[in-house]
Every structure is written in C-alpha cells, then in structure tokens.
Amino acid sequence: MPFSNPIGDKCSIEFFGAALEFRGQGEASQVISYIIESTPNKVYLIEEVADTNIKAIKFYDKLGLKEYKRKALPRRFAENNGINHLISLKYVR
C-alpha cells in the first residue's frame, strides 16, 4: 500500500484494500490508524471510492474519514457499470 505526501501537510493513501480472508479482523483499521498516528501530516486523503462500494465507505467513516468531494461519472459509464459517482474522503487532525 503506497502512500505519499503530494502537498505539504497532506498525505494521500492510495490503492488500499484487504484480502478477502483478512476482512473483518481489524488489520485494515490498524494499518490506517497507524498511518494517521505515526506520520506528521494534518490531512489524509483517500480519493475516488466508487459510490457502490458501501462497505469501504462505511469502513472509512468508522475511522473518521469524511466525504469531501463527489465526482459524477459520465452517464454512459454509469449505465454500463452502475457506478454514478467517485467519492473522495479525508481525515483532518
């Protein structure tokens, strides 16, 4: 799971996921919490989670990340894939 510091006090957590056999055991929560507690950043971003990924959105909400941006996808794409928006979340210390 790479993470970077693209803009000063902001950290972008990218491509985060847990293997099916480890979901629901708390490891993912520990990793995100560790990143937030162990780095000096003030803002943590997770960009573009599909609005249909309700489990991920609830997981991030439980950790204190809140939606700050919603990007509508082209209608044709939404009709073909069922994803209407990409949601961006952030945690601010």
Side-chain angles (χ1 to χ4, degrees), residues 59-91:
F59 167 75
Y60 294 131
D61 183 65
K62 180 179 165 186
L63 294 173
L65 287 112
K66 302 298 177 193
E67 180 179 334
Y68 78 95
K69 182 171 63 174
R70 184 174 284 249
K71 176 181 166 185
L73 296 175
R75 191 166 102 189
R76 180 180 227 178
F77 182 87
E79 289 171 355
N80 289 336
N81 296 297
I83 300 170
N84 294 303
H85 296 90
L86 295 176
I87 298 172
S88 295
L89 305 115
K90 74 177 172 180
Y91 177 90

Side-chain angles (χ1 to χ4, degrees), residues 3-49:
F3 59 97
S4 61
N5 187 5
I7 305 170
D9 64 350
K10 292 182 182 176
C11 175
S12 177
I13 301 169
E14 302 175 11
F15 306 110
F16 186 81
L20 289 174
E21 63 267 24
F22 295 105
R23 290 184 185 170
Q25 297 178 27
E27 282 87 352
S29 297
Q30 289 178 359
V31 170
I32 297 285
S33 295
Y34 177 80
I35 292 169
I36 291 171
E37 293 167 9
S38 301
T39 57
N41 306 93
K42 293 183 178 156
V43 178
Y44 296 83
L45 305 173
I46 296 179
E47 301 289 351
E48 299 189 348
V49 177

